[in-house]
Amino acid sequence: MVLCIVAFVVLGVMSVFSAKYRPLAKEAFRCVFRTVTFRPCDTGLDDRIKAEVLSRVMRFSLPAARLANRHFQTLSWVFVLLTLGSLAYSALGIYNFYQYGNCDGPQASGACILNYLTSDYGRFSSPTELIAPNDTANGIVAGDLGSNVTVVEFGCFTCPYTKQDEPAVQALIADGSVKYIFKPFPLPGHPYSRDAANAVLCADRQGKSWELRKLVFDHQEACAKGGVLPIKILAENAGLNMTQFDKCFDGNLTSSELDHYIAQGKASHIYATPTFFINGKPFVGVKSIEELREAVRRAKAGR
Amino acid sequence: MNVRNDFPILGKYPSLTYLDSACTSLKPRAVIAAQDEYYEEFGACAGRSAHSLARKTSGKIEECREGIAKFLGAKAGGLAFTKNATEGLNLVANSFDFSKRRQVITTILEHHSVLLPLMRLRDEGKIALEMLRPGGDGMVAIEEWELKIDRNTALVLTNNANNTTGIGHDANAICKIAHESGAAVCIDGAQGVPHRKTDFARSGFDFLCFSGHKMLGPTGIGAIAMGEEWVGKMRPFLLGGGTVKSVSEAKMEMLPSTERFEAGIQNYSGIFGLAAACGYLNKIGMGKVEEHEKKLASLLAGALEGVGAKILGNPRAQNHSALYSFNVAGAKPHDIALLLDRKDIAVRSGFFCAQPGLEALGARQGAVRASCYVYNSEQEVKRLGEALQEIGKLY
Ligand SMILES: Cc1ncc(COP(=O)(O)O)c(C=O)c1O
């Protein structure tokens, strides 16, 4: 029966993590093999699944169980298609993750999520777990330094979402009503994000961080793929003193500063970029300029 | 009857309704202990060595043989241990002398353990096999037996309680008919011996085969009782240690006793256990067992009729065991069994090793079988009825 296909997929994944499921997965495989070669499954697994499902449904509704029983084959197909669909979707997600460093593809709106499995960045995944940073002085600062609204952004230079939100961020700074602090927070899944961050911090020492930042975002893909060389070319194009820049960049002079921001990000339980704190209130992911302005308005009103 | 506390497995699974005793019964503590007793206190081989533990073991085995024979109303001298009923039935089929008469009569309703050895002998041209077919009530009419058994008949083989219909043929009557024609009778007592009083000598059976595991005993042990006159005439089909009186390079002389059928070291702990099972059943009393099961049988028939189940064979037949095979609402038997399992009710589904019989009864897809024993209660039968009622609504 087709339900074995679902069972095989589910049990197959489970058996990767627990040996307990391996005999069942094997049984499901045998059943799938027989089903796709148009022979009845002879392990009895399909019948056992059916009985389990029906008896569970029976417990809360007999009519529902009857319906399920009468159309069991159809329902099985629906489940198979859903499973195959979600499998394909997961595969696409994995492909995107490797290609673009996020699961949703290059143009998706959202946030760049940490790769939990490979990082030591912690295991937070909800805005409710975020903690506003204490340090609202250090970082790359812009805007009205005396404003009573402080916007802290944790961003990753090779994250497509941090880039996507950049026009809104620039517009907000241009409004001139907030104090804006950028804390670079390179995510492990994004190549050369650390180098880009160090380059921008070096540029900041020459008072030219905004120029380089713009170029890095404009040529994000080149930086993410090419690394140090395109970053240096962009630094030159940004009009930096390259002797000083090389000394700073090659000498890792901003490394400890960057580590400091990363540590702050971890302490704030950052799990995705961009993440904003507007007077301590967190906002995760790409926010439109309207959303940012509304948040600032509320912050000004003390809400 | 309140024996549930004697069965450790019912303590372990308190919500279990075990209705699959025809497949194998549960075991009381006394049987489990008797098996251990062999290993803990005897441990040696029987009928061979001279040391005291071996003698103690031999003595106990013969004591067990006596006890089991007595339980059957048979003589210890005609009792041979086997693995199970199947081995006994194979022993009869393969050891019986078909050189003078070669017709064997049985029914199509028999267990595979009866049919297959006979079918092979038929295919090899060693016997002529006649399989009698049942009427709509699931029985072969007595006239049919009278008609078919004649002076060509060497052996009549049937059961005294059927594992599909729960109806037993009148083995005593068949025995009489066979003996009038000079034919021998072998009874498959796998489902009869556990559930009703057996009187081997009075019934006049020539052979009676059964398994321990269906009568509260251990698995892997059974016995065949035979008239003592048959012991020397049957040609053992397994030879080896313990079966001969003396062997020289040129010649072997088989033992005259039933030990000639017990080749190799025997399942001593199983024999201890089987004797304990007989003792346990004796203590309850086979009359009580029958009475209890009769009550359960009629309740079971009522419950199944109440849910509109299609019962194989006449549910109100005389001497019906507390064993019924049925189908519900055209559902696949395995589906019903699995749904019952989710409600902690254990039943058998499929062909019960009697596929030709089920087909003859019109159950081509097989059936569901519920079978009771001493530990089952009336509430459990009711629970089955209620569960089937609910499951029936799914179809
Ligand atoms: C009528 C009948 N005969 C023979 C047998 C075979 O018994 P065993 O498998 O214990 O040898 C069974 C068991 O199902 C049976 O029900």
Side-chain angles (χ1 to χ4, degrees), chain A residues 47-48 50-52 54-55 58 62 65-66 69-70, chain B residues 332 334-335 338-339 342-343 387 390-391 393-395:
Chain A
D47 291 337
R48 293 203 313 272
K50 182 174 167 186
E52 183 67 44
L54 289 180
S55 60
M58 255 164 103
L62 202 54
R66 177 192 305 166
N69 184 41
R70 294 208 173 140
Chain B
K332 277 201 314 188
H334 284 317
D335 285 357
L338 287 169
L339 286 166
R342 307 318 299 152
K343 294 178 175 296
E390 199 183 337
I391 291 167
K393 294 203 180 115
L394 300 185
Y395 292 87

Side-chain angles (χ1 to χ4, degrees), chain B residues 124-239:
Chain B
E124 291 169 350
K126 292 182 180 151
I127 62 166
L129 181 61
E130 179 91 47
M131 292 188 212
L132 306 182
R133 301 183 70 85
D137 58 352
M139 300 272 280
V140 176
I142 199 77
E143 295 77 28
E144 186 80 358
W145 293 97
E146 272 172 344
L147 193 70
K148 290 286 159 56
I149 299 173
D150 58 26
R151 304 217 69 86
N152 295 319
T153 309
L155 183 64
V156 175
L157 250 152
T158 189
N159 60 74
N160 58 350
N162 188 277
N163 70 320
T164 302
T165 59
I167 312 169
H169 283 111
D170 183 347
N172 294 9
I174 292 168
C175 209
K176 212 163 143 244
I177 296 167
H179 285 169
E180 277 165 10
S181 295
V185 173
C186 173
I187 296 298
D188 170 4
Q191 301 292 352
V193 171
H195 300 281
R196 41 189 82 136
K197 173 113 198 82
T198 306
D199 195 335
F200 180 82
R202 269 263 296 280
S203 305
F205 303 150
D206 297 284
F207 306 96
L208 172 70
C209 309
F210 64 97
S211 291
H213 70 90
K214 293 188 204 285
M215 51 183 287
L216 312 181
T219 52
I221 187 70
I224 177 171
M226 57 181 88
E228 284 177 294
E229 70 278 15
W230 286 104
V231 176
K233 289 192 221 161
M234 301 286 280
R235 186 169 170 271
F237 79 118
L238 265 180
L239 300 178

Side-chain angles (χ1 to χ4, degrees), chain A residues 148-169:
Chain A
N148 61 351
V149 179
T150 306
V151 178
V152 178
E153 177 182 2
F154 284 92
C156 160
F157 282 110
T158 51
C159 162
Y161 298 112
T162 306
K163 168 182 170 166
Q164 193 185 330
D165 223 3
E166 184 65 3
V169 168

Side-chain angles (χ1 to χ4, degrees), chain A residues 101-112:
Chain A
N102 73 84
C103 301
D104 298 325
Q107 302 307 331
S109 87
C112 290

Side-chain angles (χ1 to χ4, degrees), chain B residues 22-23 84-87 89 111 113-114 159 161-163 188 190-191 211 213-214 348 352-353 369:
Chain B
C23 195
N84 45 31
T86 301
E87 189 188 331
L89 292 162
H111 192 272
S113 296
V114 172
N159 60 74
N162 188 277
N163 70 320
D188 170 4
Q191 301 292 352
S211 291
H213 70 90
K214 293 188 204 285
R348 175 84 182 266
F352 326 137
C353 301
R369 180 179 71 189

